């Protein structure tokens, strides 16, 4: 009985810490969530726990912590699409376009129907100046997710790089039509309008976005 009382159930401990962390995350108490997900990982290092901790790190602006957690999640679960995308997006932002596309490829190997993985691949290729290959990838993303405003925003960015401003503008208009409440779509069109010296139009988009999401 004494020996039994001293035993711990790591899985149960992990679930308890995870539940506490999930509660913090639901209340947007991200620093506390980072700590409790860390406790859960100590009890039972699972890929999904690293994935959740990565998001909490990202919410507090700790890109290094988020990246480390995402990579650990992919090591434990190589077919974890969400973790590959998280790591890839951080690498894209850091300018490591080859590594970003590598994670996009891993995500597609796990899920060939992932529009988000094609978007990441397109963004990485565009950043390297491989515009035809980028357009091919973003075309696949749009075919898989025709209602995705995110895909339209990425398509617009690639077309703008290619000098096709009219196509870029049309894609941004489509993004807003698909998701009128999207802050990202309005911000992207504002950036586009500023780039083409339509400052009044840019301000209109920014004011509209702020009115919807103060």
């Amino acid at each position: 009985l004494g020996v039994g009382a001293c035993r711990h159930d790591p899985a149960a401990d992990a679930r308890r810490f995870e539940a506490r962390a999930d509660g913090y995350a639901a209340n947007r108490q991200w620093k506390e969530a980072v700590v409790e997900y860390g406790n859960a990982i100590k009890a039972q290092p699972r890929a999904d726990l690293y994935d959740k901790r990565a998001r909490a790190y990202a919410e507090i602006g700790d890109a290094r912590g988020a990246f480390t957690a995402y990579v650990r999640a992919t090591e434990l679960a190589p077919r974890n699409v969400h973790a590959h995308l998280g790591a890839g997006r951080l690498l894209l932002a850091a300018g490591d376009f080859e590594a970003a596309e590598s994670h996009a490829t891993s995500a597609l190997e796990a899920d060939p129907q992932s529009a988000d993985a094609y978007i990441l691949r397109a963004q990485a290729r565009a950043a390297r100046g491989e515009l035809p290959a980028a357009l091919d990838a973003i075309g696949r993303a749009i075919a898989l997710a025709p209602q995705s405003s995110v895909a339209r925003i990425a398509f617009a960015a690639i077309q703008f790089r290619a000098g096709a401003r009219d196509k870029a503008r049309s894609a941004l208009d489509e993004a807003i039509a698909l998701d009128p409440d999207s802050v990202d779509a309005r911000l992207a069109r504002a950036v586009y309008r500023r780039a083409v010296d339509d400052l009044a139009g840019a301000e209109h988009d920014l004011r509209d976005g702020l009115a919807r999401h103060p």
Side-chain angles (χ1 to χ4, degrees):
L1 287 174
V3 170
C6 292
R7 288 177 179 166
H8 291 283
D9 182 348
D13 289 344
R15 287 193 297 271
R16 185 174 68 256
F17 287 124
E18 181 183 12
R20 193 177 301 168
D22 287 346
Y24 283 131
N27 291 321
R28 302 192 64 80
Q29 294 174 266
W30 298 110
K31 290 183 179 179
E32 293 83 355
V34 165
V35 172
E36 293 300 341
Y37 284 130
N39 289 332
I41 287 167
K42 289 177 183 177
Q44 188 179 46
R46 301 190 333 244
D48 61 318
L49 293 174
Y50 277 106
D51 199 353
K52 288 183 176 183
R53 197 181 198 203
R55 185 202 170 187
Y57 270 128
E59 291 287 350
I60 62 174
D62 186 344
R64 184 182 297 275
F67 177 72
T68 300
Y70 277 133
V71 169
R72 185 65 181 128
T74 64
E75 290 171 347
L76 291 171
R79 298 182 65 80
N80 185 324
V81 173
H82 185 267
H84 278 297
L85 293 176
R89 287 166 182 152
L90 288 170
L91 287 164
L92 184 71
D96 191 343
F97 309 130
E98 292 284 351
E101 184 170 0
S102 177
H103 278 285
T105 298
S106 294
L108 286 167
E109 288 172 354
D111 179 9
Q113 302 301 307
S114 173
D116 287 334
Y118 275 115
I119 291 171
L120 178 59
R121 171 178 281 179
Q123 290 170 326
R125 289 176 173 179
R128 295 200 304 268
E130 300 170 8
L131 299 183
L135 287 170
D136 176 71
I138 199 63
R140 291 173 182 267
I142 292 172
L144 287 167
Q147 301 303 309
S148 169
S149 65
V150 175
R152 290 305 197 292
I153 294 169
F155 177 74
I158 296 167
Q159 290 289 9
F160 189 83
R161 280 177 176 265
R165 292 187 170 188
D166 289 343
K167 290 182 179 180
R169 170 59 191 268
S170 295
L172 291 171
D173 291 344
E174 289 174 5
I176 291 174
L178 288 168
D179 187 359
D181 204 42
S182 170
V183 171
D184 288 340
R186 293 185 186 280
L187 181 58
R189 193 169 69 178
V191 170
Y192 167 86
R193 284 175 159 172
R194 186 176 63 181
V196 298
D197 293 326
D198 179 8
L199 300 183
E203 184 174 7
H204 179 272
D205 277 330
L206 294 171
R207 287 184 180 277
D208 196 1
L210 284 168
R212 293 169 179 270
H213 296 280

